[in-house]
Amino acid sequence: MLGRLNHVALAVRDLASATELYRTRLGASVSEPQAVLEHGVTVVFIELPNTRIELLEPLGPNSPIAKFLERNPEGGMHHLCYEVDDIRAAAERLKRDGVRLLGSGQPTIGAHGNPVIFLHPKDFAGTLIELEEVPR
Ligand code: CO
């Protein structure tokens, strides 16, 4: 069921300064900021040879990132995203095993245009997990 690590998402207070930090201190190749209204974030992608890092800044009053930053004022790791072949099959199997899915429990379209679901951190060793169906 489990495929590649698609990305690690980091919540940041100030996207411009975090982007600049990665660009200048680490020489990272960094995308232009992209607003993802449905998920309440502005995101910057950092491409690495084996995965990517996403910097997330809150967008809008009900952003889940704003709540995360209230609890973690310096920012930090927000979630990991693993690839799966079949998101509906993965969701059904996890629900059957008693793992709670966030939101409606149905896949939504994520920042890369692919269907995603999020698993409750309390059911997953304290880490928010995103699963993303990636076309092969
Ligand atoms: Co993500």
Side-chain angles (χ1 to χ4, degrees), residues 7 9 54 79 81 130:
H7 60 270
E54 295 181 4
H79 65 269
C81 177
E130 179 180 17

PDB file of all heavy atoms in Angstrom, residues 7 9 54 79 81 130, ligand 1:
ATOM      1  N   HIS A   7       6.289  14.216   0.226  1.00  0.00           N
ATOM      2  CA  HIS A   7       6.828  15.463   0.771  1.00  0.00           C
ATOM      3  C   HIS A   7       6.768  15.483   2.290  1.00  0.00           C
ATOM      4  O   HIS A   7       6.038  14.709   2.899  1.00  0.00           O
ATOM      5  CB  HIS A   7       6.113  16.704   0.210  1.00  0.00           C
ATOM      6  CG  HIS A   7       4.644  16.777   0.488  1.00  0.00           C
ATOM      7  ND1 HIS A   7       3.696  16.253  -0.362  1.00  0.00           N
ATOM      8  CD2 HIS A   7       3.946  17.313   1.525  1.00  0.00           C
ATOM      9  CE1 HIS A   7       2.489  16.476   0.131  1.00  0.00           C
ATOM     10  NE2 HIS A   7       2.604  17.110   1.289  1.00  0.00           N
ATOM     11  N   ALA A   9       5.975  18.447   5.083  1.00  0.00           N
ATOM     12  CA  ALA A   9       5.408  19.796   5.128  1.00  0.00           C
ATOM     13  C   ALA A   9       5.796  20.478   6.435  1.00  0.00           C
ATOM     14  O   ALA A   9       5.630  19.903   7.520  1.00  0.00           O
ATOM     15  CB  ALA A   9       3.890  19.733   4.994  1.00  0.00           C
ATOM     16  N   GLU A  54       7.601  21.117   1.600  1.00  0.00           N
ATOM     17  CA  GLU A  54       6.616  22.168   1.385  1.00  0.00           C
ATOM     18  C   GLU A  54       6.632  23.095   2.587  1.00  0.00           C
ATOM     19  O   GLU A  54       6.549  22.637   3.723  1.00  0.00           O
ATOM     20  CB  GLU A  54       5.213  21.566   1.237  1.00  0.00           C
ATOM     21  CG  GLU A  54       5.086  20.719   0.011  1.00  0.00           C
ATOM     22  CD  GLU A  54       3.691  20.137  -0.160  1.00  0.00           C
ATOM     23  OE1 GLU A  54       2.794  20.457   0.642  1.00  0.00           O
ATOM     24  OE2 GLU A  54       3.531  19.353  -1.098  1.00  0.00           O
ATOM     25  N   HIS A  79       3.255  17.823   8.670  1.00  0.00           N
ATOM     26  CA  HIS A  79       2.840  16.477   8.276  1.00  0.00           C
ATOM     27  C   HIS A  79       3.823  15.854   7.295  1.00  0.00           C
ATOM     28  O   HIS A  79       4.659  16.543   6.721  1.00  0.00           O
ATOM     29  CB  HIS A  79       1.426  16.469   7.679  1.00  0.00           C
ATOM     30  CG  HIS A  79       1.266  17.206   6.380  1.00  0.00           C
ATOM     31  ND1 HIS A  79       0.916  18.526   6.303  1.00  0.00           N
ATOM     32  CD2 HIS A  79       1.412  16.797   5.096  1.00  0.00           C
ATOM     33  CE1 HIS A  79       0.835  18.895   5.040  1.00  0.00           C
ATOM     34  NE2 HIS A  79       1.144  17.862   4.271  1.00  0.00           N
ATOM     35  N   CYS A  81       3.807  13.201   3.876  1.00  0.00           N
ATOM     36  CA  CYS A  81       2.909  12.698   2.833  1.00  0.00           C
ATOM     37  C   CYS A  81       3.520  11.489   2.136  1.00  0.00           C
ATOM     38  O   CYS A  81       4.599  11.587   1.548  1.00  0.00           O
ATOM     39  CB  CYS A  81       2.608  13.783   1.813  1.00  0.00           C
ATOM     40  SG  CYS A  81       1.578  13.164   0.451  1.00  0.00           S
ATOM     41  N   GLU A 130      -0.493  12.485   5.607  1.00  0.00           N
ATOM     42  CA  GLU A 130      -1.269  12.678   4.385  1.00  0.00           C
ATOM     43  C   GLU A 130      -0.971  11.512   3.448  1.00  0.00           C
ATOM     44  O   GLU A 130       0.189  11.111   3.319  1.00  0.00           O
ATOM     45  CB  GLU A 130      -0.838  14.002   3.725  1.00  0.00           C
ATOM     46  CG  GLU A 130      -1.543  14.318   2.417  1.00  0.00           C
ATOM     47  CD  GLU A 130      -1.073  15.641   1.798  1.00  0.00           C
ATOM     48  OE1 GLU A 130       0.005  16.149   2.190  1.00  0.00           O
ATOM     49  OE2 GLU A 130      -1.775  16.140   0.904  1.00  0.00           O
TER      50      GLU A 130
HETATM   51 CO    CO B   1       0.905  17.903   2.157  1.00  0.00          CO
END
